[in-house]
Amino acid sequence: QLKLVNPSQYRFEHLVTQMKWRLQEGRGEAVYQIGVEDNGLLVGLSEEEMRASLKTLRRMAEKVGADITVLREREVDYDSDIPRKITEVLVRKVPDNQQFLDLRVAVLGNVDSGKSTLLGVLTQGELDNGRGRARLNLFRHLHEIQSGRTSSISFEILGFNSKGEVVNYSDSRTAEEICESSSKMITFIDLAGHHKYLKTTIFGLTSYCPDFAMLVVSANTGIAGTTREHLGLAMALKVPFFIVISKVDLCSKATVERTVKQLERILKQPGCNKLPLLVNSDDDAVTAAQQFAQSPNITPIFTLSSVSGENLDLLKVFLNILPPLTNSKEQEELMQQLTEFQVDEIYTVPEVGTVVGGTLSSGICREGENLVVGPTDDGKFLRLKVCSIQRNRSACRVLRAGQAATLALGPFDRSLLRKGMVMVSPEMNPTICSVFEAEIVLLFHATTFRKGFQVTVHVGNVRQTAIVEKIHGKDKLRTGEKAVVRFRFIKHPEYLKIGAKLLFREGVTKGIGHVTDLQAITTKENGLEESLGPGQLSF
């Protein structure tokens, strides 16, 4: 917008309608640049005009129920005596009906690079003592506390309110409070760095469908261990990533620079083709967030310390402005399809019964809805009812496509469920298969890859061992070669979709690809079976 000085009533209404539309398109967020003509010419406004324009903008925002924050101001050298300025303003809507913006960020990096500590500092709001105190609240198992190594996938939340201020556990006691006062939530998926837990890390990246990945590299060790592998995983799954160089308080400036140079060299390699962008100021952070979402080739790099807190604010500014990848139109299209929920985790909660956690990949799911879950070991689907829904630990009536949540299933028998199942609406008539074909690229293999080879296949939330039944047109494959391969699951059929991304591994063997063809198993009478809760008799 160029200027918004004393608009007429009609123009004001028009501007408000425009703002409503912009907010809806950006799912509750929009960035306005004031002092820029529609064709992108930087004109700038005088102090007085700017003040009046911001006042109008504030009035507009009040009308649609949003808040505004000034991101940055900058002077333009224009041939006039009065200094002229351009201002960028973030308009964010106060969330109504629990529709806060939810971004999922997967946290990757080598073991001991400071992933959990950084998350501890961001979400708890107090700095680390240099001995890992900040991460203690993130660990889920006793052996993690003792060894200091993450082995499971844990979720941490960081909120931003509509004014762009951080909402975390420092001023809120519970997760519900954070959800209530935030208009934007960032869910960090803390993954394991150690090589031993690689399958857990892959599962976290494929099944939780993160929007972005944050690769944490320790400044004193540089790129070591699983860093390259995690970088490769993010590239293979096409997850846009940014890099955080941690522990800069431990080493000299030269060492930090050396690590940055090392990263830049790797990012510019032909395989990566990324444009590194080092963030040193708030200005850089704003630019990085806007560019990063528009072109996935840009990789912002932050250098920070979880102990001294140096440059932590820049990361917060970046996360605050980071726009979602999908716009509202794509989400609405997904919501019109039939319900499909991926089961990632299964719990038993006292007095609630069986609870499943996962992501709703399409459709809408409401409390009290009847769905079918499967496939079981013999390829059947069982009926069940969704008793209640929780999102980020607070109750929620309706779940929309793309959102992660936990669903309570009441007295449903937990032993019938496993990770990798799907819950779909009964009219979907889901296709399940034991044999499928995929076009793959072999990334690394010690010898040749041939018929009869067993690999662990990851497709979304499905994780199972499969046997290579046939390689079309070839006898064997070597590193770097492409082929269409037929796989057969060894244990039970799974629900797959054509076009789904696929990752397989076995020891040092790794490959990626996508599903091209399924040999569907027809289930008798849709394979629907009544699952009997306790206390019901079958005749």
Side-chain angles (χ1 to χ4, degrees):
Q1 301 288 343
L2 182 53
K3 50 180 169 182
L4 311 164
V5 185
N6 296 336
S8 64
Q9 189 60 35
Y10 173 73
R11 165 115 171 108
F12 182 71
E13 293 298 332
H14 171 74
L15 284 169
V16 168
T17 315
Q18 193 182 12
M19 181 182 271
K20 260 190 197 146
W21 186 79
R22 288 254 166 85
L23 285 172
Q24 193 184 341
E25 200 183 35
R27 288 168 64 181
E29 290 191 340
V31 174
Y32 273 74
Q33 293 175 328
I34 301 175
V36 181
E37 281 199 23
D38 287 348
N39 60 8
L41 190 65
L42 306 175
V43 184
L45 299 180
S46 64
E47 191 81 24
E48 215 165 287
E49 288 176 325
M50 186 59 81
R51 235 195 335 263
S53 298
L54 284 175
K55 191 175 161 197
T56 309
L57 200 62
R58 210 162 265 128
R59 256 177 63 210
M60 282 157 57
E62 265 169 30
K63 188 113 182 182
V64 292
D67 275 334
I68 72 168
T69 19
V70 175
L71 292 178
R72 53 180 179 173
E73 284 189 336
R74 117 154 20 141
E75 292 201 0
V76 242
D77 307 326
Y78 223 63
D79 0 325
S80 69
D81 314 332
I82 332 158
R84 286 175 168 274
K85 281 185 180 167
I86 304 175
T87 308
E88 265 188 63
V89 184
L90 176 72
V91 182
R92 184 174 285 165
K93 198 164 167 22
V94 185
D96 43 68
N97 68 13
Q98 300 180 327
Q99 282 311 308
F100 48 77
L101 203 67
D102 196 8
L103 292 185
R104 289 195 289 277
V105 179
V107 185
L108 298 166
N110 189 26
V111 61
D112 302 337
S113 63
K115 297 183 291 302
S116 303
T117 301
L118 173 62
L119 291 195
V121 170
L122 283 173
T123 56
Q124 311 292 331
E126 52 184 64
L127 295 174
D128 189 50
N129 59 355
R131 313 261 332 128
R133 190 182 66 192
R135 66 182 182 200
L136 290 179
N137 299 346
L138 307 200
F139 286 155
R140 291 172 57 168
H141 301 291
L142 179 64
H143 71 85
E144 293 183 335
I145 292 177
Q146 287 162 349
S147 70
R149 284 186 186 151
T150 310
S151 68
S152 58
I153 300 173
S154 62
F155 293 89
E156 284 309 312
I157 52 174
L158 174 68
F160 289 97
N161 61 17
S162 49
K163 296 190 177 68
E165 297 155 355
V166 176
V167 184
N168 55 20
Y169 287 109
S170 59
D171 44 20
S172 316
R173 288 273 65 85
T174 58
E176 288 94 350
E177 279 181 41
I178 295 183
C179 293
E180 274 165 21
S181 45
S182 306
S183 53
K184 178 178 193 169
M185 295 283 304
I186 292 184
T187 308
F188 289 107
I189 307 167
D190 189 14
L191 301 174
H194 200 275
H195 206 278
K196 183 164 100 178
Y197 306 120
L198 185 68
K199 72 169 195 177
T200 307
T201 305
I202 294 179
F203 182 73
L205 270 178
T206 52
S207 67
Y208 294 115
C209 321
D211 298 300
F212 303 105
M214 172 163 89
L215 184 69
V216 183
V217 180
S218 148
N220 50 359
T221 51
I223 294 171
T226 42
T227 309
R228 278 201 170 102
E229 209 152 315
H230 286 179
L231 189 69
L233 283 176
M235 302 270 308
L237 295 166
K238 297 196 167 51
V239 180
F241 59 91
F242 56 96
I243 296 179
V244 170
I245 297 177
S246 63
K247 307 192 182 182
V248 294
D249 56 301
L250 283 185
C251 42
S252 61
K253 260 210 165 84
T255 318
V256 178
E257 277 167 23
R258 195 172 70 223
T259 306
V260 172
K261 289 227 166 37
Q262 194 185 7
L263 272 169
E264 286 180 344
R265 199 166 60 243
I266 283 191
L267 290 173
K268 287 176 183 166
Q269 278 173 359
C272 280
N273 282 336
K274 299 280 185 195
L275 249 176
L277 178 69
L278 192 62
V279 177
N280 289 323
S281 63
D282 279 0
D283 226 23
D284 293 347
V286 174
T287 314
Q290 290 168 353
Q291 295 298 326
F292 182 52
Q294 285 161 9
S295 74
N297 286 348
I298 284 180
T299 304
I301 301 180
F302 297 85
T303 51
L304 54 84
S305 160
S306 307
V307 175
S308 65
E310 183 186 337
N311 289 355
L312 256 178
D313 293 349
L314 299 187
L315 184 61
K316 287 177 185 166
V317 167
F318 174 79
L319 292 169
N320 176 27
I321 302 166
L322 201 56
L325 281 180
T326 54
N327 54 22
S328 50
K329 190 169 164 225
E330 286 169 36
Q331 197 198 14
E332 270 165 27
E333 278 169 13
L334 273 176
M335 273 157 48
Q336 278 153 11
Q337 294 167 13
L338 290 168
T339 306
E340 181 189 315
F341 182 85
Q342 292 186 353
V343 177
D344 294 336
E345 298 221 30
I346 302 152
Y347 320 95
T348 306
V349 180
E351 297 179 8
V352 178
T354 305
V355 174
V356 294
T359 313
L360 188 70
S361 41
S362 64
I364 286 182
C365 178
R366 294 183 175 82
E367 273 183 21
E369 197 155 344
N370 291 308
L371 300 172
V372 296
V373 68
T376 53
D377 290 355
D378 47 4
K380 295 197 168 63
F381 277 77
L382 311 168
R383 296 175 194 270
L384 53 77
K385 185 180 177 189
V386 178
C387 301
S388 65
I389 304 176
Q390 278 205 341
R391 226 182 123 200
N392 277 337
R393 306 186 189 115
S394 48
C396 167
R397 293 261 172 264
V398 182
L399 189 63
R400 292 157 205 268
Q403 297 177 343
T406 49
L407 314 180
L409 308 178
F412 192 82
D413 183 4
R414 176 183 173 159
S415 61
L416 297 170
L417 295 171
R418 59 182 169 79
K419 282 183 185 183
M421 281 188 164
V422 282
M423 286 162 53
V424 291
S425 60
E427 61 259 33
M428 190 155 169
N429 201 358
T431 53
I432 59 171
C433 67
S434 271
V435 178
F436 67 97
E437 292 192 349
E439 187 180 311
I440 62 157
V441 182
L442 199 57
L443 295 180
F444 182 75
H445 186 41
T447 54
T448 53
F449 180 82
R450 58 180 71 211
K451 187 181 159 187
F453 204 76
Q454 285 197 5
V455 290
T456 307
V457 174
H458 293 259
V459 187
N461 63 343
V462 171
R463 171 170 77 183
Q464 205 192 132
T465 306
I467 294 180
V468 176
E469 283 208 331
K470 186 179 176 189
I471 301 175
H472 291 287
K474 289 182 184 170
D475 292 338
K476 54 193 182 206
L477 276 183
R478 293 186 181 282
T479 301
E481 293 185 331
K482 266 189 182 183
V484 176
V485 177
R486 188 192 304 151
F487 291 100
R488 174 185 289 276
F489 284 126
I490 64 171
K491 269 166 104 183
H492 35 239
E494 296 279 14
Y495 169 84
L496 295 181
K497 276 185 179 155
I498 289 183
K501 288 196 198 91
L502 166 139
L503 230 138
F504 62 87
R505 57 180 182 85
E506 168 55 52
V508 288
T509 305
K510 286 183 200 67
I512 54 169
H514 60 273
V515 180
T516 53
D517 190 30
L518 309 172
Q519 291 186 15
I521 301 171
T522 49
T523 47
K524 47 181 183 296
E525 303 169 12
N526 285 359
L528 287 184
E529 288 206 348
E530 296 290 345
S531 99
L532 299 167
Q536 291 177 301
L537 291 171
S538 59
F539 295 99

